[in-house]
């Protein structure tokens, strides 16, 4: 909820800045940092936490399972998020990320410590999403109640299943590129 509130406040700050032409109270770099932190806060952290929590509650009830397939992986997926939120808030306090929430190089490979915290938070949330996706897919495939075939699954479970498959396909690629970007920043590699 903290990330949702901070990201919502950033949306209001951006709207206030764009209310009139010219610079009101944010310079160009600070505006880009606020926009980036708003995007990552809303899209990745708040959405991941809300959908993940709702799915962990709804999936077992809807398919007739006692619990998720991997409860400890489920707990790990949850407990990765608070440090990621703290790193994201620390990144905001240390200058933020002014390259957009996708963190494309070469802009993301230069700059202050705020960008490092941003990248670490983004990678942490990526791992949390991967763990949650593995848990959803395994639970939906293996722990359905007897007689509940894939054709009888509710549309909400299908959407969570499809989202988990897409997450499992896309997030490792993004996380690996961000890890390579972290290596570029810390060890001087040139990926």
């Amino acid at each position: 909820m903290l990330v949702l509130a901070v990201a919502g406040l950033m949306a209001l700050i951006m709207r206030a800045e764009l209310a009139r032409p010219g610079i009101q109270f944010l310079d160009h770099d600070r505006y880009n940092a606020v926009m980036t932190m708003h995007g990552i806060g809303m899209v990745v952290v708040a959405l991941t936490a809300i959908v993940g929590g709702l799915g962990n509650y709804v999936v077992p009830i809807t398919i007739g399972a006692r619990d998720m397939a991997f409860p400890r992986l489920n707990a790990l997926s949850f407990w990765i998020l608070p440090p990621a939120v703290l790193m994201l808030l620390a990144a905001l306090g240390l200058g933020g990320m002014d390259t957009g929430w996708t963190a494309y190089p070469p802009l993301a490979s230069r700059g202050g410590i705020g960008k490092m915290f941003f990248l670490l938070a983004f990678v942490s949330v990526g791992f949390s999403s991967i763990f949650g996706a593995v848990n959803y897919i395994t639970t939906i495939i293996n722990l359905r109640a007897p007689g509940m075939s894939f054709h009888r699954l509710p549309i909400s479970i299908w959407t969570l299943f499809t989202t988990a498959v897409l997450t499992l396909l896309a997030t490792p690629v993004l996380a690996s590129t961000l890890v390579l970007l972290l290596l570029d920043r810390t060890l001087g590699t040139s990926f």
Side-chain angles (χ1 to χ4, degrees):
M1 294 307 282
L2 177 66
V3 174
L4 203 59
V6 171
L9 181 65
M10 288 180 198
L12 293 175
I13 291 170
M14 288 188 307
R15 288 183 183 273
E17 179 65 37
L18 296 174
R20 293 186 317 176
I23 296 174
Q24 297 350 300
F25 45 88
L26 294 175
D27 63 351
H28 299 295
D29 291 335
R30 184 54 79 182
Y31 179 82
N32 286 341
V34 167
M35 185 267 309
T36 299
M37 299 306 278
H38 164 75
I40 195 70
M42 285 295 199
V43 172
V44 176
V45 177
L47 186 65
T48 301
I50 290 170
V51 171
L54 182 67
N56 282 324
Y57 178 73
V58 170
V59 167
I61 292 172
T62 308
I63 66 171
R66 288 191 339 214
D67 195 6
M68 296 295 282
F70 305 117
R72 292 186 183 183
L73 188 64
N74 198 16
L76 178 63
S77 174
F78 171 77
W79 284 110
I80 288 175
L81 288 177
V85 167
L86 292 176
M87 284 187 282
L88 193 62
L89 293 174
L92 180 62
L94 294 171
M97 183 83 158
D98 58 355
T99 62
W101 70 274
T102 53
Y104 289 140
L107 292 175
S109 60
R110 298 181 189 94
I113 192 77
K115 289 184 182 182
M116 188 73 97
F117 276 104
F118 177 86
L119 293 171
L120 288 171
F122 206 164
V123 169
S124 299
V125 171
F127 279 114
S128 174
S129 298
I130 291 167
F131 297 154
V134 167
N135 207 0
Y136 283 150
I137 292 169
T138 306
T139 302
I140 292 170
I141 289 175
N142 294 326
L143 298 182
R144 293 186 317 266
M148 180 174 280
S149 66
F150 270 107
H151 296 291
R152 292 185 177 191
L153 286 176
I155 192 73
S156 61
I157 302 302
W158 269 109
T159 57
L160 287 171
F161 181 77
T162 306
T163 302
V165 169
L166 291 174
T167 299
L168 206 54
L169 291 173
T171 307
V173 175
L174 179 62
S176 64
T177 58
L178 292 177
V179 168
L180 293 176
L181 183 58
L182 282 167
L183 291 173
D184 285 351
R185 290 181 58 88
T186 55
L187 300 178
T189 59
S190 59
F191 288 108

